[in-house]
Amino acid sequence: NIGPQQVTVSSGGATSNPYARSQFTYYAPEIGRLVFHSSEYSECTASVVNSADKSVVLTAGHCVGSSGAFYNDFAFAPGYYGPVCTGNLSSSAAYLKCGTAPYGIWSARKVGSNNQWLNNTDHALDYGFLVMNTLNGKTLQQAINGGLAINFNPGRGQSWTTFAEPGAVLLHCSGSASNYNGGSPGPDMMTFPAPTCAVGGASGGPWINGSNGAFYGIGAVNSEASSGSIYGAYLGTEAQNTFLGIENS
């Protein structure tokens, strides 16, 4: 399983994983590191998405809550690069002091996910949203000057690129997705082989379709991995309803 990754155990640096991966030498302002507290401090990947209040972050459902309860003490650093801190620290934000957070570290004021994930651990609906507080008088999208579009109900069978920040650099893997149904009542997930991106901390990374140089937005988020393939929770009507619910609450 791709994670979340416990930040008290490993820094998540690039040298902690033996796989060779595609690495960007730059950061993407819209994609960053999310640290949170459940029974311990853990980390995931998250993305700034276009929203009416310009403050919404998208990640995996298992990065915001499980077993009927949401986690707490969320800290998000868009465009983050470098390792996270190690040791038994006192807050999520403290783990983001060992790398570079070019747009600051943001706290959350709302959290939401699909109830079928939160209460029944349905990976087909494994997505979550956070609404972030303002920082220095600006919303999250104002601070980074943008956001990623979510393309709800995207066409299936397309080529996708997934992005993740499980270590010190931003990773990406691309492939043509096929549908997967693991017996869930939710919509089929999407999957493609990506052994080098299927690592701890990649959970919540966006799937972006850039076919023919066109940008069509996020269509899924990293949920789990098995046998060298990565599985994404499809952002269909259920995800759209969850997004609208937290955006308008």
Side-chain angles (χ1 to χ4, degrees):
N1 198 301
I2 56 179
Q5 181 165 264
Q6 298 175 17
V7 296
T8 53
V9 176
S10 170
S11 68
T15 57
S16 67
N17 191 284
Y19 295 111
R21 292 159 288 187
S22 299
Q23 299 182 356
F24 282 91
T25 56
Y26 56 88
Y27 61 85
E30 299 87 353
I31 303 171
R33 194 75 61 86
L34 174 69
V35 180
F36 56 91
H37 185 262
S38 53
S39 59
E40 59 211 349
Y41 288 100
S42 301
E43 63 176 301
C44 285
T45 302
S47 304
V48 182
V49 295
N50 291 339
S51 63
D53 64 3
K54 302 186 183 302
S55 301
V56 177
V57 167
L58 167 67
T59 188
H62 66 267
C63 300
V64 301
S66 65
S67 302
F70 289 116
Y71 304 143
N72 58 69
D73 190 19
F74 295 97
F76 175 63
Y80 188 92
Y81 58 93
V84 296
C85 301
T86 59
N88 294 315
L89 304 180
S90 60
S91 69
S92 293
Y95 285 96
L96 297 171
K97 300 294 187 179
C98 293
T100 299
Y103 301 97
I105 300 173
W106 301 68
S107 62
R109 58 185 174 86
K110 294 180 186 176
V111 56
S113 69
N114 188 288
N115 286 335
Q116 286 299 311
W117 163 260
L118 190 65
N119 298 309
N120 299 316
T121 319
D122 186 344
H123 275 276
L125 300 166
D126 183 13
Y127 44 78
F129 297 95
L130 297 166
V131 181
M132 313 309 290
N133 290 305
T134 58
L135 182 65
N136 298 323
K138 292 184 177 181
T139 66
L140 185 54
Q141 283 193 252
Q142 287 173 335
I144 69 167
N145 194 31
L148 298 175
I150 302 179
N151 180 24
F152 292 108
N153 294 298
R156 293 177 177 269
Q158 303 181 59
S159 294
W160 297 89
T161 298
T162 183
F163 293 81
E165 287 208 24
V169 294
L170 179 63
L171 310 178
H172 76 291
C173 293
S174 300
S176 296
S178 58
N179 293 334
Y180 171 78
N181 188 310
S184 165
D188 286 355
M189 301 176 75
M190 297 193 292
T191 181
F192 65 87
T196 58
C197 286
V199 293
S203 295
W207 286 36
I208 296 175
N209 183 318
S211 299
N212 301 315
F215 179 72
Y216 294 107
I218 303 173
V221 292
N222 290 335
S223 173
E224 56 183 340
S226 177
S227 301
S229 290
I230 201 161
Y231 294 79
Y234 179 81
L235 299 180
T237 301
E238 298 89 347
Q240 186 173 25
N241 290 338
T242 303
F243 170 75
L244 292 173
I246 191 170
E247 182 187 40
N248 297 325
S249 63

